[in-house]
Amino acid sequence: MDLKSTDTRYGKVAILIHWASAVAVVLAFAAGAVTAGTEPAPLGPLVAHIALGVSVLVLTLLRIVWWLVADRHPPPAVDQSRWQQISAGAVHWLLYAVLILMGTSGIMTLLLSGAIPALVAGGPVPDFSTVLPRIAHGAMSKLLLALFVGHVGAALYHQFVRRDHLLARMGIGRA
C-alpha cells in the first residue's frame, strides 16, 4: 500500500489519520460523557477529554492539510448513485467542520472559564455550565454523534448489505 491514495484505495497516511481520529473521537466522547453534567467536573476524565479533544482537532487539521497539499481522495466508487456521493461528501465535510468547531469551543471554554490554572495546579475546576462556548460544545456533541452514527452505519451497510467491499478502500479487508 502506498503512502498516498490511488484511484481505488486511500493511502497509508490517510488511513492512519482516519482510524486514529476515529479512536480519539470515541474516547473523547466517552470521557466527555463522564464529565458532562457533573460540576465540578472530575479532574481525571476532564484532562483525558481535553487531551483527546486537542488530538482530534490536530488530526482533523492535519487531515485537511494532507488533502489540500499532498494527496487526493480516490474518486467515488463507480456503483454509487449520485445522491450517495453527495451524501457521503456532505457528511465528511460536516464531520470536519463539527470537529473543528468542537475543538475550538472546547479551547474557548477553558480560556473563558479560567480553568487552565486550576488544571495545571490539579485543583478543582470552575463551573463550565454557564460558559457560552461550553453550551455550544454540548449541542455540537449531539450533532457529532448523529454524523458519526450515520457514517459508521453507511460503512456497515456497504460492507454487509451491499457487500461492495467499500471498507477495503480504508484498509479493512480486500477489494
Side-chain angles (χ1 to χ4, degrees), residues 69-126:
V69 174
D71 201 2
R72 60 182 172 74
H73 289 275
V78 292
D79 62 339
Q80 282 189 345
S81 66
R82 184 75 180 132
W83 77 266
Q84 286 177 313
Q85 293 175 18
I86 291 169
S87 297
V91 167
H92 283 101
W93 283 109
L94 279 169
L95 279 167
Y96 298 152
V98 169
L99 291 171
I100 290 168
L101 288 170
M102 287 199 69
T104 304
S105 65
I107 291 167
M108 292 307 298
T109 297
L110 292 173
L111 293 173
L112 293 175
S113 68
I116 294 175
L119 288 168
V120 171
V125 293

Side-chain angles (χ1 to χ4, degrees), residues 15-109:
I15 290 172
L16 177 65
I17 294 170
H18 176 271
W19 292 112
S21 296
V23 169
V25 165
V26 169
L27 293 174
F29 197 86
V34 169
T35 64
T38 308
E39 300 299 339
L43 201 55
L46 179 61
V47 170
H49 179 71
I50 293 166
L52 289 160
V54 169
S55 298
V56 169
L57 178 60
V58 168
L59 285 166
T60 302
L61 294 172
L62 178 62
R63 177 188 300 219
I64 292 168
V65 169
W66 177 251
W67 291 129
L68 292 174
V69 174
D71 201 2
R72 60 182 172 74
H73 289 275
V78 292
D79 62 339
Q80 282 189 345
S81 66
R82 184 75 180 132
W83 77 266
Q84 286 177 313
Q85 293 175 18
I86 291 169
S87 297
V91 167
H92 283 101
W93 283 109
L94 279 169
L95 279 167
Y96 298 152
V98 169
L99 291 171
I100 290 168
L101 288 170
M102 287 199 69
T104 304
S105 65
I107 291 167
M108 292 307 298
T109 297

